[in-house]
Amino acid sequence: MTAEKNSAQPKKIVLELSDVNIHYGDFHAVKDASLEIYEKHVTAFIGPSGCGKSTVLRSINRMNDMIPGARIEGSIMFDGEDLYGDQVDPVLVRRQIGMVFQKPNPFPKSIYENIAWGARINGYRGNYDQLVEQSLRQAALWDEVKDKLKQNALRLSGGQQQRLCIARALAVSPEVILMDEPASALDPIATGRIEELILELKEHYSIVIVTHNMGQASRVSDYTAFFMVDGQRTGYLQEYAETEQLFLNPRHRKTEEYISGKFG
Ligand code: ADP
């Protein structure tokens, strides 16, 4: 689905999902999802619990490959290339399309090593000190940790750990960053920092964020995809539009009911 747009300016499509169906064993979790993700914009996935937001998100960097019984049909094109093509290396996909999870999951290693590790296994030949500093700066964490880079990352606060995970994702130069409820485990101040960071990062990266928080979707995203579930508990894309349009002038009754908190 092309997002309904008011603005006439053409946007570059970075990801194009066409008729994506995802099964877990016999269970049809997502049906016929088609949508375009635009470069250097933030796209939010919203909808009631169980409607397939995380499932679709994981399909975008082939994380579902790791779930036994998960199966995908349809196509996902990334910069014009089929993400599920025979020649495609899922490890490379996950480098280009990074993921940040709901619960911050730094490695039980130093702050420095959390950043350097991914680069090292990718055979990075540049200056590691520079890479660590640049990644931490981009994730708005450098000033808070520059004097304790050798400290174990698990001693950071939850919000700092999440920004470290974002820095870790940035260190391998991705094009897209997927975020699965990145702030839902954080307090309001840490959440605000993550939201500010998302707005900074979209200058350079395309971002897809799953969120349960309507305010957050409206604050950080340019486009919003509203997913719903049918009577069989199968998720589908109900409406996709520019965020302002979806929140102020939704086309579907279900969208209107969801964003006004009538169910969730
Ligand atoms: P959302 O992110 O919108 O809450 P999910 O993508 O997590 O929804 O889940 C969509 C549906 O797929 C739900 O019915 C959920 O129970 C099911 N599901 C998710 N992950 C798995 C899995 N690993 N195995 C089986 N079913 C799953």
Side-chain angles (χ1 to χ4, degrees), residues 139-140 159 162-163 166 182-200 213 215-216 219-220:
Q162 194 60 305
R163 279 179 282 139
I166 293 171
S184 65
L186 306 180
D187 65 49
I189 290 171
T191 297
R193 289 222 170 120
I194 298 284
E195 290 183 5
E196 277 168 29
L197 179 57
I198 291 171
L199 291 173
E200 283 167 30
N213 179 330
Q216 181 165 81
R219 284 190 295 273
V220 304

Side-chain angles (χ1 to χ4, degrees), residues 24 27 29 48-55 58 67 233:
Y24 293 109
F27 176 58
S49 192
C51 66
K53 303 178 295 296
S54 301
T55 296
R58 287 195 298 261
I67 300 176
R233 294 195 301 123

